[in-house]
């Protein structure tokens, strides 16, 4: 029997402050850079969730020593090691772990096998495998060509490399992070338009913080330096609470995230502002207040696509339709997110329409519905927001949020107190 979670409507407007857990994306970059830096690094504010535990185990397989204290949200990483013969990485469901660890594993002369869940095996890997071959790695596709499992070994000479940008930015980020340890460094040319651009800026910022030199898409040969590194809260996770304020009315402040953030997804607040919410920003906080009266918006979310499903939930309660564009590539995430969100909203009686590059939501009152979540944490977290305003909303397989946010439902409930 599938477990489910019922979300009770709020009885009064929100007035809450919440601090989401550490950023998944920054945690997984910092873990990798620390693992490639000879010596001990201390990561504070780290995320402890399925995706980051996958990365902790992955860097350990490459020879790093990782000791964790989830209660204090710290991870200590001693880097500079190398993988044992026959090393194997289980990236679980994690796109970042798998796409970042492949180039790192190919720095070493020993063969490492990278695999994941059936869901991850269905996601594309061709661009990174192809790029690794261009810079001298040996790559074996052990299943379908262009998919996991794959085995890689190095060393890599580096130098010029061509990689596509339109499927996922993670291929580029993974290559860049291995770049300093390639003999000639790395000079990347993109063969197609890059999606999720802010994540590449984040990659360069974390690399620079660990002592690497990156200019545009060129990485100098060199090394990483260990350090203490503080990780800010997760901006994609924050979108659910900011979205809650827009949907339910009242005010929610997300602390630890503001104009100084490294994460593009803080710009979800800008979209809510365009819909009529009031946004107050400081370097370290974002506050959304709303009367609950919103207008629809026409928005390109190619830079912030992890928040597209959150917006779909908010759009249900706007006074006019919302069109989201530029996100055709999210059909290749944990599930086809365009099809999934449209299918589920239609089951709730909402007139939602699938477009090739996004979706259109016509507002309405969702009827009582038990939502399928497609093993996608963001389906579960987004659709649960509907229950804050509409009665009878239930989310199936709520445990899938553990991929990035095991405490999500507890934090959502804390908004009520
Ligand atoms: O680099 C990253 O940390 C991420 C990049 C994005 O993926 P794509 O580049 O595949 O869009 C995003 O959806 C994912 O959650 C995290
Ligand atoms: C797409 C996501 O994750 P990943 O690609 O890292 O698996 C996500 O967290 O929404």
């Amino acid at each position: 029997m599938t477990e489910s979670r019922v979300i009770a409507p709020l009885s009064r407007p929100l007035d809450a402050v919440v601090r989401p857990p550490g950023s998944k994306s920054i945690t997984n970059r910092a873990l990798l850079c620390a693992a490639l830096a000879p010596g001990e690094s201390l990561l504070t504010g780290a995320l402890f969730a399925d995706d980051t535990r996958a990365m902790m185990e992955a860097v350990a397989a490459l020879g790093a020593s990782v000791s964790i204290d989830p209660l204090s949200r710290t991870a200590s990483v001693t880097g500079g090691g190398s993988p044992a013969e026959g090393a194997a990485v289980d990236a679980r469901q994690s796109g970042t772990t798998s796409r970042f660890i492949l180039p790192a594993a190919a720095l070493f002369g020993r063969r490492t096998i990278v695999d994941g869940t059936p869901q991850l095996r269905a996601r594309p890997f061709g661009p990174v495998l192809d790029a690794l071959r261009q810079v001298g790695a040996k790559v074996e596709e052990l299943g379908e060509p262009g998919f996991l499992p794959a085995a890689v070994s190095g060393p890599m000479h580096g130098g010029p490399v061509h990689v596509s940008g339109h499927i996922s930015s993670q291929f580029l980020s993974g290559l860049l992070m291995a770049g300093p340890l390639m003999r000639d460094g790395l000079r990347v040319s993109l063969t197609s338009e890059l999606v999720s651009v802010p994540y590449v800026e984040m990659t360069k910022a974390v690399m620079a913080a660990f002592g690497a030199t990156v200019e545009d898409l060129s990485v100098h040969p060199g090394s990483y330096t260990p350090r203490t590194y503080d990780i800010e809260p997760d901006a994609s996770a924050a979108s659910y609470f900011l979205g809650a304020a827009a949907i339910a009315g009242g005010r929610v402040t997300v602390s630890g995230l503001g104009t100084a953030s490294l994460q593009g997804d803080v710009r979800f607040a800008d979209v809510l502002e365009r819909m009529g919410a009031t946004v107050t920003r400081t370097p370290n906080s974002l506050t959304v207040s709303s009367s609950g009266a919103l207008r629809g918006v026409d928005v390109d979310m190619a830079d912030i696509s992890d928040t597209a499903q959150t917006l779909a939930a908010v759009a249900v309660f706007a006074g006019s339709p919302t069109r989201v564009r530029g996100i055709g590539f999210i059909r290749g995430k944990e599930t086809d997110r365009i099809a999934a969100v449209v299918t589920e909203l239609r089951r709730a009686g909402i007139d939602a329409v699938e477009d090739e590059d996004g979706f259109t939501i016509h507002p309405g009152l969702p009827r009582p519905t038990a939502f399928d979540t497609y093993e996608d944490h963001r389906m579960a977290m987004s659709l649960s927001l509907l229950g804050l305003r509409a009665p009878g909303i239930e989310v199936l397989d709520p445990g899938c949020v553990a991929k990035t946010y095991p405490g999500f439902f507890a934090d959502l409930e804390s908004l009520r107190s």
Side-chain angles (χ1 to χ4, degrees), residues 24-25 29 96 100 167-170 196 199 306 329 333:
K24 169 198 84 171
S25 293
R29 284 163 173 75
T96 53
F100 297 172
I167 298 171
S168 168
S169 69
Q170 295 173 2
S196 297
Y199 287 99
D306 283 359
F329 62 97
K333 303 255 178 184

Side-chain angles (χ1 to χ4, degrees), residues 270-296:
D270 302 3
V271 183
L272 296 179
E273 194 169 46
R274 282 180 56 197
M275 296 178 85
T278 302
V279 181
T280 312
R281 302 169 180 83
T282 75
N284 293 310
S285 73
L286 287 173
T287 301
V288 167
S289 24
S290 169
S291 61
L294 303 166
R295 53 184 173 269

Side-chain angles (χ1 to χ4, degrees), residues 24 51 93-96 123 170 306 333-334 337 377-378 403-404:
K24 169 198 84 171
D51 276 14
Q93 289 183 304
S94 173
T96 53
R123 296 177 66 182
Q170 295 173 2
D306 283 359
K333 303 255 178 184
E334 283 80 337
R337 286 180 167 168
H377 53 139
R378 301 208 187 282
K403 183 174 190 283
T404 56

